[in-house]
């Protein structure tokens, strides 16, 4: 069985839900207090042994900011050295040494499936991880990609990270049908954003995957599906004819940063966990609640 050393993060989207912020900045740079969302995702991969990461970008929404973030900033490092700000210097330096980060541009925005296909020559003939740029999932003991890698090591198949979602949210996700309801069950069907009446379960794929390279064979011939886009979900459905695919019902608190409420919740929770901020933030939240209650 091959080790998982490579990962793909598609970051090509317009991020329309966050306009006007995303007019000139990529949504992946939305900060959770002081750290961009994309850095959380890269750190999760690195913590799970990934050494090479391909970001699939596009010419839209100034994706250069992401490249700058993971690059060395000589001027900034010089200034921090001169001012003897060694803690900040170490932190800045570590970001540019996290992993080997590679970039490729998706020429046209043709869907998640097409974005993953752009990674074919980078990946070669190895299984690889995929994280979508929108979700931060917190598990202090075992990062989610680590949980998926463990499940991959058990079955040696593609693995989809899932959690059960509310019935009203089913039509936002790829939904799986399992042979048997188990936390690492085998998939017998998968449908992209089904309406409630045809949804086979409420088990949703939530932005984390381990894929075998066989997926490229199906992505290459995949016709546009939902939203007239080439859907990864449809290619995974075709893959089921050739290989088994399992889920990993992962453990972790998920924040959908692509959604305004999810973004706000992440900032509140992270600030309440931050030693320097938690007391003041908590006091402020109490004040607001008391005001609303007319106290
Ligand atoms: C994508 C996938 C979908 C998945 C979702 C969340 O949809 O196509 O299957 O459930 O991400 O990970 P998107 O949210 O990009 O429309």
């Amino acid at each position: 069985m091959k080790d998982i050393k490579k990962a793909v993060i598609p970051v090509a989207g317009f991020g329309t839900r966050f306009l006007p912020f995303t007019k000139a900045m990529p949504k992946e740079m939305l900060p959770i207090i002081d750290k961009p969302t994309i850095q959380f995702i890269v750190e999760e991969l690195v913590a799970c042994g990934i050494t090479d990461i391909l970001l699939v970008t596009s010419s839209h929404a100034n994706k250069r900011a992401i490249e700058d973030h993971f690059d060395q900033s000589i001027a900034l490092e010089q200034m921090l050295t001169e001012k003897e700000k060694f803690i900040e210097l170490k932190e800045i330096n570590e970001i540019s040494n996290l992993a080997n980060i590679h970039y490729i541009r998706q020429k046209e925005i043709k869907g998640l499936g097409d974005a993953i296909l752009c990674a074919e020559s980078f990946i070669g003939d190895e299984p690889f991880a995929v994280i979508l740029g929108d979700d931060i999932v917190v598990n202090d003991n075992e990062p989610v990609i680590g949980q998926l890698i463990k499940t991959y090591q058990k079955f040696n198949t593609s693995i989809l990270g899932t959690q059960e979602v509310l019935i009203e949210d089913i039509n936002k996700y790829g939904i799986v049908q399992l042979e048997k309801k188990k936390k690492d069950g085998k998939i017998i069907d998968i449908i992209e954003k089904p309406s409630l009446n045809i949804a086979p379960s409420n088990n949703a794929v939530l932005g984390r995957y381990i894929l075998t390279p066989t997926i490229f064979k199906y992505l290459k011939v995949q016709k546009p599906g939902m939203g007239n886009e080439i859907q990864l979900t449809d290619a995974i459905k075709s893959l089921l004819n050739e290989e088994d695919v399992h889920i990993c019902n992962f453990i972790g608190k998920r924040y959908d940063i692509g959604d305004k409420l999810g973004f706000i919740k992440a900032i509140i929770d992270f600030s309440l966990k931050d030693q320097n901020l938690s007391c003041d933030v908590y006091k402020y939240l109490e004040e607001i609640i008391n005001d609303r209650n007319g106290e």
Side-chain angles (χ1 to χ4, degrees):
M1 188 185 308
K2 290 185 180 163
D3 280 353
I4 315 274
K5 290 281 165 208
K6 292 182 182 172
V8 181
I9 311 177
V11 294
F14 283 103
T16 42
R17 283 190 286 176
F18 269 92
L19 280 168
F21 173 80
T22 45
K23 184 171 175 225
M25 278 299 270
K27 67 172 179 190
E28 294 78 13
M29 289 301 287
L30 279 167
I32 307 305
I33 309 176
D34 51 10
K35 191 193 283 190
T37 303
I38 187 77
Q39 192 182 328
F40 284 94
I41 289 169
V42 167
E43 285 175 349
E44 175 179 335
L45 290 166
V46 171
C48 301
I50 303 289
T51 55
D52 283 80
I53 300 170
L54 179 72
L55 300 189
V56 183
T57 70
S58 70
S59 57
H60 305 293
N62 205 4
K63 301 289 176 182
R64 283 284 304 271
I66 300 177
E67 295 185 36
D68 290 342
H69 185 72
F70 291 106
D71 200 355
Q72 207 175 359
S73 173
I74 309 271
L76 178 62
E77 288 183 21
Q78 237 163 30
M79 183 276 283
L80 292 172
T81 310
E82 277 160 25
K83 296 210 173 324
E84 299 186 1
K85 291 187 178 280
F86 297 118
I87 295 174
E88 290 85 350
L89 179 66
K90 185 168 172 279
E91 195 178 359
I92 293 302
N93 208 271
E94 276 168 7
I95 298 171
S96 45
N97 291 309
L98 272 171
N100 300 318
I101 304 199
H102 312 252
Y103 302 89
I104 191 166
R105 272 193 178 178
Q106 187 183 13
K107 305 273 176 316
E108 270 177 79
I109 308 275
K110 287 200 291 190
L112 177 60
D114 182 67
I116 302 300
L117 184 56
C118 293
E120 187 183 16
S121 62
F122 168 77
I123 295 298
D125 192 27
E126 295 174 35
F128 61 103
V130 174
I131 302 193
L132 306 187
D134 275 353
D135 281 2
I136 293 177
V137 186
V138 178
N139 179 320
D140 293 332
N141 300 319
E142 187 168 29
V144 177
I145 280 294
Q147 299 177 40
L148 266 68
I149 290 176
K150 264 201 189 144
T151 314
Y152 162 77
Q153 285 161 345
K154 181 168 172 192
F155 296 107
N156 199 14
T157 66
S158 292
I159 308 292
L160 314 185
T162 62
Q163 279 188 338
E164 290 185 1
V165 295
L166 297 173
I167 299 293
E168 57 267 34
D169 288 336
I170 279 179
N171 62 1
K172 294 185 193 161
Y173 300 107
I175 300 290
V176 297
Q177 182 176 7
L178 299 178
E179 190 183 60
K180 279 194 199 123
K181 196 170 184 239
K182 277 163 75 176
K183 68 177 179 22
D184 56 9
K186 191 173 126 187
I187 293 170
I188 52 171
D189 199 5
I190 178 165
I191 310 177
E192 181 67 6
K193 305 191 175 95
S195 55
L196 194 52
N197 57 331
I198 59 157
S201 73
N202 66 337
N203 222 324
V205 179
L206 296 177
R208 276 156 175 79
Y209 309 74
I210 302 292
L211 296 171
T212 62
T214 319
I215 194 68
F216 294 119
K217 176 171 143 190
Y218 293 98
L219 284 171
K220 272 184 211 155
V221 294
Q222 188 58 56
K223 299 260 170 354
M226 166 145 286
N228 204 26
E229 293 191 340
I230 297 174
Q231 296 292 347
L232 177 60
T233 298
D234 295 341
I236 293 172
K237 189 183 172 90
S238 306
L239 179 67
L240 291 175
N241 296 318
E242 183 173 342
E243 290 181 359
D244 286 354
V245 177
H246 285 255
I247 62 159
C248 166
N249 221 311
F250 62 77
I251 299 166
K253 176 148 188 186
R254 170 177 166 262
Y255 300 95
D256 178 1
I257 307 299
D259 171 73
K260 283 178 187 162
L261 184 60
F263 174 61
I264 293 165
K265 283 182 182 171
I267 292 186
I268 294 173
D269 281 2
F270 277 76
S271 63
L272 289 174
K273 277 204 268 176
D274 182 315
Q275 278 181 12
N276 298 321
L277 288 171
S278 65
C279 277
D280 291 338
V281 174
Y282 195 83
K283 257 193 229 153
Y284 181 61
L285 291 174
E286 252 181 355
E287 261 170 51
I288 300 177
I289 291 163
N290 290 342
D291 278 357
R292 281 184 69 129
N293 292 339
E295 282 174 28

